Amino acid sequence: MAISLVKKNYLFGQGRKRWVPWLLLLPGFGLYLLIAVGPSLATAVYSFTDASGVRGAPVNWIGFENYDEFLFRGLASRDNLAALQRTLIFMVVVTTVQFGLGLVLALLLNQKLRGRTFFRTLFFIPVILGVVIQGLMWQLFLYPAGGPVAEVFGWFGIQSEFLGGAPTEAFIWVMVVQIWANVGITMMIFLAGMQTIDETLYEAARIDGAGGWNLFKNITWPQLTPAINTNFLLNVIGSLQAWQLFLVLIGYRPGTQVLGYLVFAEGFGQTTGSVSAAFRQGYAAAASIVLFFLVLVLGMSANWIVQRRERKYLG
Amino acid sequence: MRRMKWLALVAALALVFAACGGDDDTGGSDTTGAGGEPGTTAAAGEPVTLRVLIHSQEPMTTWVQDFSTQFESDNPGVTVDVAVVGAGDLATVTQTRLSANDVDVIDMFGFANPVQDYMGGATPPAWQTLIDAGLLLDITDEPWVANYDTASIEQAGTFNGRVYSVNLGRTVYGGMFVNNDLLASVGVEVPTTWSELVSVCDAVKAAGNQCMTNGGQDGWPVFVGTYGMLGALFPDQAGLVEALYTGEMTWDDPAMADWWDRTKVYAQDMLEPGTTGLAHDAATFRYAAGDVAFLPTGAWQAPNLEGDGGATFDWTYVPFPGSDDAADNQNLFGKYDQGWAIAANSPNVEVAKAYVAAFSDPDTYQEFVTTTGFIPTQATATLDTKLGQALAPYLENFQVGFEQYWVQPAGAGQWANGSQAASWFVPFNEWDDAAALATQAQADLQAALDELQ
């Protein structure tokens, strides 16, 4: 019988010492279970009940009734599916424009231009404002009778009710505000990525006669892969979950809700505009599980795309 | 060394679990029983923080804050922490703070009629759920409850024979403020029928003024005044809700045609341009500028017209003339506004009772009514204000409005509550055809009623 004389090189020592890192992980893991996994599982369980969310109120197991109501019952299901569709439109438009605009701003502000620090700050400022402040600012900007945007529109003979008008119009303005509020963070991630690119790559390419487009296509774009992937995922998931701006800017109005806002409104009795609105947190939980699967499917698809890009460009 | 690691680990875990433990910083000693029985006040001499939750509605908000300061002076050791939230957020904050046992006295906004038998399995309104969950204190036997009139206690404070809230006042919303000076300058009278209202609006606009303004940005102010129109056309509002549920009446019934046509005219022809961007309070101050004839909203805005920066013109308040028969336009539709309720699990129950008792004192209540313009729910109080004088001819005809009876059936579409029609027409939403909207409203309601059966 051969006896190994080579001592194994344990990363965390031998014997009981090997368990120390796992034990040190335990508090963090416990917190994760408590704060993230626990409520998620509870939401899944709640979605099969008629819970109101009021402590002490009876909670009954009703199986798939909430899902049945959300997806199939009466014409509320029509409105819910429309909210689902609106959520997808919101995601596609916001992700596309915010991503593109953030990239363009980062490219511009990565040049050695006068005042670039000022403009970087200017574009980033909305990110640090709270949603309520953002909402109030834009309500003033978009005041239809003499507000600044209305004045500018007036020069071109355009009249608009902005946030208080037709649902489609109000919805578009929420997208505008969402992009304005978040494009700064997209820009910053791109800028950070650009500043890690080795300048000698550009110098070598220029010596070989590469122009602006070729530099971007063959150096900047591939080298930005981690930043592109991060931004893409953040934009997709962030826009799918957006709802606060809808609450602040337009409230609960027929034809404007996205799924995230619907979950809040159903859970806290803000749907009917009547004093006799009800708390329906079991039903809201079912809606949030639908939203969860939407985020899961689209998030995983986005992740698959970015991983494929990473393999292609970074190996 | 090994012991130190274990000690550090145990300490870290202890810290985590300690951080996750409950915290009940109430400022008083919690004597709540395990079964949720009402407790008593903090031990004598200990400081107590009484947590009061109200919704934002001037001048009521400022009055309650002043009253709370006075209560502190009268009760050394008591600090009153008044939290003010927007009207639309009150139900949410009430639910979360009551569930977290983080509030003592609550402004119960919208204690309306409960779910009726004919509503099938409709989900009970929020306030009913709170009572069912045992979160509101039964105050039936408190002596100060008797200060309020029997009707208000029965209609806006009682559930299953027990009293849970005392109502602070009736308020009227189915009417409109009238700028008497502007009408006089144009040479027209206060309209008493729908046809008169249409012609007065035409005259006012022809003279270069605006007919009506409102707070379109907040949504609900657009339709709140038209509850008066619905009431003028269908005075039995409880009966109308029941008829809609049972199918005896439908939103697209020919008898409803006037409702849809007139709300369209109101939304599109009577309200001034730019209404979509005005908040509710801002609309009142816009109205106070003097070049708008009518402001269809709740009478609760009267103190803003009377106060600093308010109207400098002569005004009155009349029921919305929704019918072409002047006799139908004599009813004032409204609701019971907020009432005080006490958290059943409050550790400061006795202080909370003392707070509501102090408020309920007839002299204090009279001050409240005078300041806020609420129609009193205490028999001894009088509304001796300009608004009181305006409402006096109609007060006998006070009736609870549609929204207090309506409970949306599960599965109903977003257009099912046709009483909100005014906010669905262009420019506030997408509808331009009154008949098509009526058909859609009935379809949205019927789909849910079919499910009920």
Side-chain angles (χ1 to χ4, degrees), chain B residues 181-205:
Chain B
D181 290 348
L182 179 60
L183 294 195
S185 72
V186 175
V188 291
E189 299 285 322
V190 177
T192 58
T193 65
W194 171 255
S195 302
E196 286 177 17
L197 178 62
V198 172
S199 56
V200 166
C201 275
D202 289 343
V204 165
K205 287 196 280 188

Side-chain angles (χ1 to χ4, degrees), chain B residues 21-238:
Chain B
D23 179 21
D24 192 13
D25 182 14
T26 58
S29 54
D30 190 345
T31 56
T32 306
E37 291 296 312
T40 57
T41 187
E46 274 187 40
V48 171
T49 299
L50 187 73
R51 299 154 302 177
V52 177
L53 175 65
I54 60 172
H55 74 279
S56 174
Q57 183 178 311
E58 288 297 353
M60 184 271 291
T61 311
T62 303
W63 190 91
V64 169
Q65 284 165 334
D66 293 344
F67 165 72
S68 300
T69 306
Q70 183 62 45
F71 185 77
E72 288 174 340
S73 304
D74 296 344
N75 296 272
V78 175
T79 303
V80 183
D81 175 12
V82 180
V84 183
V85 297
D89 297 325
L90 186 67
T92 306
V93 180
T94 298
Q95 183 238 0
T96 50
R97 291 192 63 176
L98 265 178
S99 292
N101 200 14
D102 184 40
V103 69
D104 302 308
V105 178
I106 311 135
D107 154 11
M108 281 295 293
F109 188 46
F111 199 112
N113 281 12
V115 168
Q116 305 295 319
D117 289 342
Y118 61 78
M119 292 176 176
T123 311
W127 62 265
Q128 193 177 327
T129 307
L130 296 175
I131 292 172
D132 285 338
L135 294 177
L136 300 187
L137 188 70
D138 181 344
I139 55 172
T140 310
D141 300 325
E142 296 303 323
W144 35 266
V145 170
N147 293 1
Y148 297 87
D149 63 50
T150 311
S152 76
I153 291 296
E154 284 178 356
Q155 294 173 11
T158 304
F159 181 62
N160 284 344
R162 307 302 294 174
V163 180
Y164 294 92
S165 170
V166 285
N167 192 270
L168 309 196
R170 299 171 179 87
T171 189
V172 173
Y173 51 51
M176 56 188 191
F177 290 96
V178 180
N179 182 336
N180 289 328
D181 290 348
L182 179 60
L183 294 195
S185 72
V186 175
V188 291
E189 299 285 322
V190 177
T192 58
T193 65
W194 171 255
S195 302
E196 286 177 17
L197 178 62
V198 172
S199 56
V200 166
C201 275
D202 289 343
V204 165
K205 287 196 280 188
N209 301 294
Q210 296 294 341
C211 176
M212 294 180 178
T213 192
N214 221 319
Q217 187 187 83
D218 292 337
W220 61 266
V222 177
F223 58 75
V224 74
T226 61
Y227 282 134
M229 188 200 293
L230 189 61
L233 295 170
F234 302 93
D236 179 6
Q237 298 279 274

Side-chain angles (χ1 to χ4, degrees), chain A residues 16-17 20 23-24 26-27 30-31 34 52-58 69 72-79 86 139 142-145 160-161 163-168 247 249-250 253-257 264 267-270 272-281, chain B residues 2 5-6 9 12-13 16 20 88-89 91-92 95-96 98-101 110 112 123-127 129-130 132-133 135 217 223 273-274 276-278 335 345 403-404 406-408 410-415 417 420 424 427-430 440 443-444 447-448 451:
Chain A
R16 286 184 182 173
K17 282 185 180 174
V20 170
L23 289 171
L24 289 173
L26 210 56
L31 269 181
L34 199 70
S52 63
V54 173
R55 191 173 71 172
E69 181 182 340
F72 305 112
R73 190 178 301 173
L75 288 179
S77 60
R78 171 205 62 195
D79 303 333
R86 235 173 267 125
Q139 277 178 348
L142 298 174
Y143 178 51
S160 174
E161 300 294 339
L163 298 164
T168 311
L247 171 69
L249 289 172
I250 45 182
R253 285 178 48 207
T256 59
Q257 308 87 10
F264 169 77
F268 293 102
Q270 301 208 344
T272 63
S274 163
V275 291
S276 37
F279 299 136
R280 304 191 67 203
Q281 297 202 349
Chain B
R2 190 179 293 170
K5 284 177 185 169
W6 280 106
L9 184 66
L13 284 171
V16 168
C20 297
D89 297 325
T92 306
Q95 183 238 0
T96 50
L98 265 178
S99 292
N101 200 14
T123 311
W127 62 265
T129 307
L130 296 175
D132 285 338
L135 294 177
Q217 187 187 83
F223 58 75
T276 52
L278 278 177
K335 63 177 178 177
N345 297 322
E403 62 136 14
Q404 301 284 292
W406 178 256
V407 176
Q408 187 97 328
Q414 60 193 352
W415 314 110
N417 181 1
Q420 300 178 356
W424 297 340
F428 304 100
N429 208 297
E430 63 189 17
Q440 187 62 60
D444 276 37
E451 294 279 349

Side-chain angles (χ1 to χ4, degrees), chain A residues 28-291:
Chain A
F29 185 65
L31 269 181
Y32 174 69
L33 282 179
L34 199 70
I35 293 168
V37 179
S40 303
L41 289 176
T43 302
V45 173
Y46 266 123
S47 72
F48 297 103
T49 71
D50 62 356
S52 63
V54 173
R55 191 173 71 172
V59 177
N60 301 302
W61 186 265
I62 57 170
F64 284 92
E65 205 172 301
N66 286 326
Y67 291 94
D68 176 57
E69 181 182 340
F70 185 82
L71 294 168
F72 305 112
R73 190 178 301 173
L75 288 179
S77 60
R78 171 205 62 195
D79 303 333
N80 296 336
L81 294 173
L84 193 68
Q85 188 183 22
R86 235 173 267 125
T87 308
L88 292 172
I89 293 170
F90 188 82
M91 181 209 73
V92 171
V93 174
V94 168
T95 300
T96 308
V97 177
Q98 188 175 314
F99 185 93
L101 196 59
L103 181 60
V104 170
L105 290 174
L107 284 168
L108 288 172
L109 296 177
N110 198 40
Q111 310 298 314
K112 288 173 182 157
L113 301 171
R114 279 185 68 183
R116 67 176 180 171
T117 311
F118 168 77
F119 283 105
R120 282 178 187 174
T121 310
L122 187 71
F123 290 124
F124 192 73
I125 279 176
V127 176
I128 60 173
L129 299 175
V131 173
V132 175
I133 306 289
Q134 293 164 351
L136 286 173
M137 279 175 60
W138 277 90
Q139 277 178 348
L140 292 173
F141 277 141
L142 298 174
Y143 178 51
V149 182
E151 284 289 322
V152 173
F153 275 32
W155 300 342
F156 304 99
I158 302 169
Q159 272 196 324
S160 174
E161 300 294 339
F162 301 107
L163 298 164
T168 311
E169 195 181 343
F171 185 69
I172 289 169
W173 281 108
V174 178
M175 289 196 282
V176 169
V177 179
Q178 170 83 8
I179 292 163
W180 167 84
N182 295 293
V183 73
I185 193 77
T186 306
M187 177 196 76
M188 277 298 174
I189 292 171
F190 277 133
L191 265 175
M194 286 172 190
Q195 284 164 15
T196 63
I197 301 174
D198 190 348
E199 190 59 30
T200 57
L201 292 173
Y202 290 108
E203 285 172 19
R206 283 193 196 100
I207 291 167
D208 290 339
W213 171 245
N214 274 324
L215 290 175
F216 175 77
K217 191 178 118 187
N218 296 310
I219 299 176
T220 310
W221 185 250
Q223 292 291 317
L224 269 183
T225 296
I228 289 168
N229 295 352
T230 305
N231 267 332
F232 185 58
L233 278 174
L234 284 178
N235 289 356
V236 167
I237 294 172
S239 56
L240 283 172
Q241 294 178 331
W243 65 276
Q244 297 97 326
L245 275 176
F246 285 89
L247 171 69
V248 176
L249 289 172
I250 45 182
Y252 194 90
R253 285 178 48 207
T256 59
Q257 308 87 10
V258 287
L259 214 45
Y261 186 30
L262 202 67
V263 170
F264 169 77
E266 290 287 359
F268 293 102
Q270 301 208 344
T271 50
T272 63
S274 163
V275 291
S276 37
F279 299 136
R280 304 191 67 203
Q281 297 202 349
Y283 181 70
S288 70
I289 294 296
V290 173
L291 178 62

